[in-house]
Amino acid sequence: MKRIISLSLLLLCVQLLFSHPWKPSHYIIIDTDGGMDDLKAINMLLASPDVRVMAITASGGVMTAEDAYLRIRSLLNKYHHQGMLTGINRGSAYKEMSVPADYKWASQQDLDAADAPDANELISYVLENESTPVSFISLSSLNTVYEYSSYNPLLFKKIKDIIWSNDSAAPLRGFNYELDTAAAHAVIRKDIPIKIVGYEFRPIYSKGLLDQIAGINNPYASSTTELFRKAAEHDFIYGLVDDMIPVFLHYPMLFENDSINNDFSFFSLTEDRIDDKVIYDILSGNTVNRNQVFKEIPSDTSFYFPDLQEYIGNIIANNGKEEWEAGVLANELHRHLGVYAIIGVKMGIRAREYFHIGVDELYIKSSAGSVPPISCMNDGLQVSTGATTGHGLIEVTDTLASPSASFTYMDRTISLSLTKDIASEIKNELKEINYIYGLDSNIYWELVRQKAILYWKNLDRHEIFDLTICH
């Protein structure tokens, strides 16, 4: 029997590691009231490649729904996730608390909550356009869930489960419950599984853990570090409250299940503390394998040719590890270190960043054509997005070739094109090198390589493209 159990566990681990090569385990809609613990939760959920955040809605809680919306939208804009769907539940109750109400997540300049889409319409859009079962993550009251169940009961049944953070389940008590007790009881009577995740108020974020988080090179960890720097005197943020849910999603084995009935369960930590590695791995995106052959693409400079070594640290620091890794693979595929291949990598990463999605989820129409050097951009696009010819997710047009492309996700399309000044600069430099040395000269390819390395390091993908929302 022990051998059977051990074999089953081994097969489960192998299945988890090598199941679908890209598909996340969790597709979710988040509802938040803008609390500081919600900020920590959202950062972890956005950082994880094993979670696809389909939309975020704002509801009342520790502040008004309108104020919560401004925090969400400002944060996503700061992260360059302008295409992530956000909405608002304007009718939800709140009990304003001064500390979270005073803490701004990012700059709210030029934002107006009056422009926010209605939460019900937004949730319907997601459920209509996503075939994968979606979980509803509630970091506040269950009012948004309840309102949607009445607004669109047919689509409401497509929700896989509701994961709600609250003090306890038997009896029901806690701030999120008390915000709207009637909504909580009404939702519990619905025929959809509800998983309540409990809190741990004792300090989890130690100085050692915070030092580790500060060393993670992504915006989500930086935002978390900034929260602890600016609000260090508030003991509340050192525990796990609404931000317990990301831990539960990634490490359910750390929780004890106290089932009330088949569709109503309460989950609490089995231990008083959790290992620092749990939160560190979620925030750094290390919970799943990203690659199919390499465990990790090395950032150790000794693995690379001498002319590239001195630039690697700056390339990663300036542009992030994901762009670095995609650039390495694209140039190996391309068989030389090329300028337009790098531009394609930056463009593809920027498009994915806009929608905040993984690989293989975009359909691309590239205007780069099939004639080098501009067509080299297509290799960078394919590697950085997974939208390869083999997957049938990229279409290349030859009419009036230009360094531009359109990207479609869930029936929404944007276009990205290299700005005229950068495009002209690259074109003129390559033309001059070609004129002096010729394509058959080794000097030509060496100079192109040098230019490509510098463009890789210096060009900021957030500044070199003109972005247009098509529909």
Side-chain angles (χ1 to χ4, degrees):
M1 177 61 73
K2 288 184 178 179
R3 288 183 178 180
I4 294 174
I5 293 173
S6 298
L7 180 60
S8 299
L9 289 172
L10 176 61
L11 290 173
L12 177 61
C13 291
V14 171
Q15 183 179 8
L16 289 172
L17 285 171
F18 303 105
S19 51
H20 197 289
W22 62 265
K23 194 175 180 67
S25 300
H26 309 284
Y27 283 65
I28 66 173
I29 297 170
I30 303 171
D31 184 62
T32 174
D33 65 358
M36 293 188 293
D37 51 334
D38 293 23
L39 173 59
K40 292 190 292 173
I42 290 169
N43 280 335
M44 284 194 275
L45 294 169
L46 291 175
S48 173
D50 205 29
V51 174
R52 180 67 64 247
V53 181
M54 307 301 297
I56 305 179
T57 60
S59 61
V62 296
M63 64 189 71
T64 66
E66 287 76 13
D67 283 340
Y69 172 81
L70 293 175
R71 280 157 176 76
I72 297 165
R73 191 64 267 166
S74 65
L75 187 75
L76 296 177
N77 290 350
K78 176 183 176 182
Y79 294 162
H80 303 285
H81 302 331
Q82 298 94 332
M84 178 169 285
L85 298 171
T86 53
I88 189 169
N89 173 12
R90 291 182 170 87
S92 48
Y94 69 97
K95 298 178 181 178
E96 187 168 300
M97 296 183 176
S98 59
V99 173
D102 289 341
Y103 187 79
K104 301 294 191 294
W105 294 6
S107 172
Q108 298 176 185
Q109 185 176 358
D110 299 326
L111 292 177
D112 189 342
D115 299 329
D118 177 72
N120 286 331
E121 295 175 2
L122 190 76
I123 296 168
S124 289
Y125 179 86
V126 171
L127 296 178
E128 286 168 353
N129 286 277
E130 179 54 60
S131 58
T132 305
V134 174
S135 295
F136 194 97
I137 307 296
S138 182
L139 307 178
S140 183
S141 75
L142 290 179
N143 180 269
T144 299
V145 180
Y146 170 70
E147 291 295 332
Y148 186 72
S149 69
S150 303
Y151 174 81
N152 199 330
L154 189 61
L155 275 179
F156 177 73
K157 293 180 180 178
K158 289 184 64 176
I159 295 175
K160 181 176 73 171
D161 54 16
I162 297 161
I163 304 176
W164 181 34
S165 51
N166 193 52
D167 272 350
S168 70
L172 277 169
R173 64 168 179 259
F175 180 82
N176 287 345
Y177 165 67
E178 291 163 6
L179 277 172
D180 195 331
T181 59
H185 289 287
V187 170
I188 289 169
R189 290 193 292 268
K190 304 287 183 182
D191 190 24
I192 287 184
I194 299 177
K195 300 171 182 176
I196 299 179
V197 180
Y199 303 148
E200 178 56 73
F201 289 106
R202 281 176 286 186
I204 300 294
Y205 287 82
S206 64
K207 183 182 183 303
L209 174 57
L210 292 174
D211 287 344
Q212 293 179 59
I213 292 172
I216 300 172
N217 182 22
N218 70 42
Y220 319 111
S222 297
S223 174
T224 300
T225 297
E226 183 180 18
L227 169 66
F228 280 93
R229 180 174 60 83
K230 291 184 175 180
E233 71 276 14
H234 300 292
D235 294 342
F236 170 79
I237 63 174
Y238 291 88
L240 287 168
V241 189
D242 291 342
D243 48 326
M244 186 69 86
I245 284 183
V247 177
F248 171 72
L249 283 182
H250 290 87
Y251 300 98
M253 71 289 294
L254 299 178
F255 291 77
E256 182 180 13
N257 180 359
D258 184 9
S259 295
I260 311 302
N261 57 53
N262 290 337
D263 290 329
F264 189 41
S265 302
F266 181 75
F267 294 85
S268 57
L269 280 175
T270 54
E271 302 290 339
D272 289 342
R273 293 187 60 83
I274 59 174
D275 191 281
D276 287 355
K277 191 174 186 300
V278 168
I279 294 174
Y280 177 85
D281 282 350
I282 297 173
L283 269 175
S284 58
N286 289 336
T287 55
V288 293
N289 291 327
R290 292 173 179 261
N291 302 319
Q292 304 306 308
V293 177
F294 298 104
K295 286 184 178 179
E296 186 174 359
I297 295 174
S299 53
D300 184 337
T301 59
S302 65
F303 282 87
Y304 299 92
F305 288 111
D307 64 337
L308 187 58
Q309 288 179 1
E310 65 176 293
Y311 298 100
I312 292 173
N314 285 331
I315 292 174
I316 296 174
N318 294 347
N319 306 300
K321 195 172 182 182
E322 188 168 20
E323 184 185 303
W324 160 253
E325 292 179 346
V328 170
L329 294 175
N331 283 290
E332 287 299 333
L333 167 70
H334 198 57
R335 304 311 297 163
H336 75 86
L337 215 162
V339 173
Y340 281 103
I342 290 295
I343 296 300
V345 166
K346 289 179 180 289
M347 185 180 288
I349 295 290
R350 179 67 186 100
R352 284 180 47 212
E353 189 176 47
Y354 176 86
F355 292 112
H356 189 64
I357 55 175
V359 296
D360 297 7
E361 297 190 73
L362 286 170
Y363 181 80
I364 300 176
K365 287 186 178 181
S366 169
S367 300
S370 55
V371 178
I374 294 179
S375 62
C376 301
M377 192 182 87
N378 296 320
D379 287 349
L381 285 174
Q382 292 182 86
V383 172
S384 60
T385 65
T388 65
T389 54
H391 287 155
L393 293 175
I394 187 169
E395 173 185 344
V396 179
T397 61
D398 280 304
T399 306
L400 298 174
S402 66
S404 61
S406 66
F407 303 84
T408 300
Y409 170 67
M410 281 185 66
D411 201 35
R412 294 182 293 143
T413 301
I414 62 168
S415 70
L416 292 171
S417 58
L418 198 59
T419 59
K420 289 182 180 179
D421 57 336
I422 298 295
S424 178
E425 178 183 335
I426 292 173
K427 180 180 179 180
N428 291 336
E429 286 188 337
L430 295 182
K431 184 178 180 180
E432 181 180 3
I433 297 171
N434 182 24
Y435 178 79
I436 296 173
Y437 300 102
L439 291 174
D440 293 331
S441 166
N442 287 335
I443 297 177
Y444 171 86
W445 294 107
E446 179 57 34
L447 290 175
V448 168
R449 178 182 176 89
Q450 292 176 20
K451 291 290 183 184
I453 293 172
L454 290 175
Y455 281 131
W456 196 355
K457 176 177 77 76
N458 295 329
L459 293 184
D460 185 339
R461 64 178 179 269
H462 307 115
E463 298 177 356
I464 64 173
F465 300 114
D466 291 324
L467 188 154
T468 304
I469 299 173
C470 303
H471 65 81

